[in-house]
Amino acid sequence: MLIRLAGMGLVLLAWGWPASSEACSCEGGSPELATNLREARQGSAAIYYGRVLSVEERPFGGKASVEVLEVFKGKLEVGTKLQLPTGGGGDCSIPFEAGQHYLMYANDTPESVWLCSRTRPASRDDAELEWLRTGKLPVIPVAVQREAVTCQPCSLETVSRTLVGAAAGDACSVPLRAAPALAAFREVRPFWSHGVYDPNNSGQAQAVGLSSTLRAFELTQTPYRDTLETCRQRVLRRWCEGLEPSGADAAHGPALRCVNPGPEEEVCNEEKSRSASWGPLQAMSAASCHWYDLESSLCKMSQETKPLAKGAPRAPLLRCSPVFDRRKDHLCHVVRK
């Protein structure tokens, strides 16, 4: 599943858009879905559905050849071939994939599509395409339900701080960047450094360091950003014979790697203490949402309970679960029955 949720002055990237786009910052549209759609249509010079024929990769962003399959707004003809900028360097361009179909919202020209618009992958029967074809919106959610999730937190940070014997505020309670981590290693003093060895693998993050007893360790947190669900993380530990420079740059730590690691041991697992329950149905005003498509949104939930009026309809329902690493936000999906 591919998903990109824009809103609250940011872009939340997960399940598809690669890390090259993470530097892009976007302003969210209206939290009211019908208004959001109308604003997107009115503010676009061209809206069309297309298929990516090929992608030419370049170091700082390439070009995608796109065939127009259906036109909803603008001076375009079906069958037109366009050259669109594709992702590179976090510049808000779309990381197009050859063979994929996309719904395109363009600004000034048909080629001016970008990550912060409603441009996204879409199948031919996508509900938003049906709205653009017919002008008829699907039924909008009339109630919202929030999931409460709790667990004993498990993360690289908490485990690393315990291993290095750091109290809050200690110098070694925070992860070290590449140069300071190498210095601490050479000086043989407790420290930890974290990052992702493989920038193309968002499924795990790692940390290495020297414990309070000066024993080398490696930690792995997983599934890390391969899930948006909260309370799904676990941390594994391996003791190492030693550490050596990894050659990682400042953007992709750690600066050291584990030498001859021992067997993996599970240190903690949020799944084991995870508890989840659904709260009462509330009025839609309990959620301030920014819509990715007609079926999903990123929402901030009110701390105040806003009950449904007596006799008010209860469906379609917007069900919202807290998001991993952004616990004030909720990922919501429309339930129509």
Side-chain angles (χ1 to χ4, degrees), residues 213-230:
T213 61
L214 302 180
R215 191 176 182 185
F217 65 84
E218 176 191 77
L219 302 175
T220 301
Q221 182 176 343
T222 184
Y224 201 52
R225 298 193 183 278
D226 268 1
T227 178
L228 286 184
E229 293 186 87
T230 193

Side-chain angles (χ1 to χ4, degrees), residues 34-54:
T35 302
N36 189 297
L37 290 169
R38 285 195 294 269
E39 289 175 348
R41 182 169 58 185
Q42 291 169 0
S44 299
I47 305 173
Y48 57 97
Y49 183 59
R51 179 169 63 94
V52 177
L53 302 175
S54 63

Side-chain angles (χ1 to χ4, degrees), residues 75-109:
K75 297 179 180 179
L76 276 173
E77 294 184 1
V78 172
T80 299
K81 305 292 195 306
L82 300 173
Q83 297 296 310
L84 308 186
T86 189
D91 60 356
C92 289
S93 55
I94 305 290
F96 290 113
E97 294 183 17
Q100 277 268 26
H101 291 73
Y102 293 81
L103 170 59
M104 314 280 195
Y105 284 81
N107 291 337
D108 302 320
T109 67

Side-chain angles (χ1 to χ4, degrees), residues 130-331:
E130 287 303 309
W131 165 69
L132 289 165
R133 291 171 185 136
T134 66
K136 182 178 179 181
L137 280 170
V139 180
I140 304 298
V142 294
V144 63
Q145 188 176 33
R146 175 178 179 173
E147 185 181 29
V149 181
T150 61
C151 63
Q152 187 66 36
C154 174
S155 69
L156 291 179
E157 288 80 1
T158 54
V159 175
S160 295
R161 288 171 186 150
T162 300
L163 282 172
V164 300
D170 285 358
C172 57
S173 68
V174 295
L176 298 182
R177 303 285 290 184
L182 288 168
F185 168 63
R186 294 187 184 109
E187 294 165 11
V188 194
R189 53 184 170 86
F191 76 95
W192 65 286
S193 179
H194 77 139
V196 180
Y197 282 121
D198 181 358
N200 296 315
N201 178 11
S202 64
Q204 64 181 32
Q206 292 180 303
V208 295
L210 293 177
S211 72
S212 57
T213 61
L214 302 180
R215 191 176 182 185
F217 65 84
E218 176 191 77
L219 302 175
T220 301
Q221 182 176 343
T222 184
Y224 201 52
R225 298 193 183 278
D226 268 1
T227 178
L228 286 184
E229 293 186 87
T230 193
C231 288
R232 297 291 188 190
Q233 303 300 311
R234 69 173 183 153
V235 173
L236 303 174
R237 180 187 61 214
R238 297 196 296 184
W239 296 110
C240 315
E241 286 187 10
L243 300 175
E244 65 181 10
S246 67
D249 59 28
H252 302 117
L256 295 146
R257 65 163 58 93
C258 181
V259 177
N260 295 330
E264 287 184 334
E265 307 169 80
E266 185 176 87
V267 180
C268 57
N269 187 340
E270 291 180 340
E271 291 271 10
K272 292 181 177 179
S273 61
R274 192 178 197 273
S275 175
S277 61
W278 289 99
L281 298 188
Q282 298 187 56
M284 277 301 297
S285 58
S288 177
C289 300
H290 295 267
W291 292 85
Y292 165 66
D293 58 26
L294 301 187
E295 303 298 327
S296 57
S297 61
L298 182 68
C299 302
K300 283 189 179 297
M301 304 299 298
S302 170
Q303 296 302 310
E304 176 187 355
T305 300
K306 299 186 177 181
L308 280 175
K310 186 176 181 180
R314 302 164 68 88
L317 174 66
L318 189 66
R319 303 193 85 180
C320 300
S321 299
V323 175
F324 162 63
D325 208 27
R326 295 188 54 79
R327 304 213 174 180
K328 293 182 180 179
D329 294 331
H330 287 66
L331 180 61

Side-chain angles (χ1 to χ4, degrees), residues 25-74:
S25 179
C26 306
E27 295 297 326
S30 170
E32 204 280 313
L33 176 56
T35 302
N36 189 297
L37 290 169
R38 285 195 294 269
E39 289 175 348
R41 182 169 58 185
Q42 291 169 0
S44 299
I47 305 173
Y48 57 97
Y49 183 59
R51 179 169 63 94
V52 177
L53 302 175
S54 63
V55 176
E56 180 186 352
E57 301 290 352
R58 296 177 185 173
F60 299 100
K63 292 287 184 180
S65 176
V66 175
E67 179 184 10
V68 176
L69 302 178
E70 198 168 354
V71 178
F72 305 107
K73 183 180 180 180

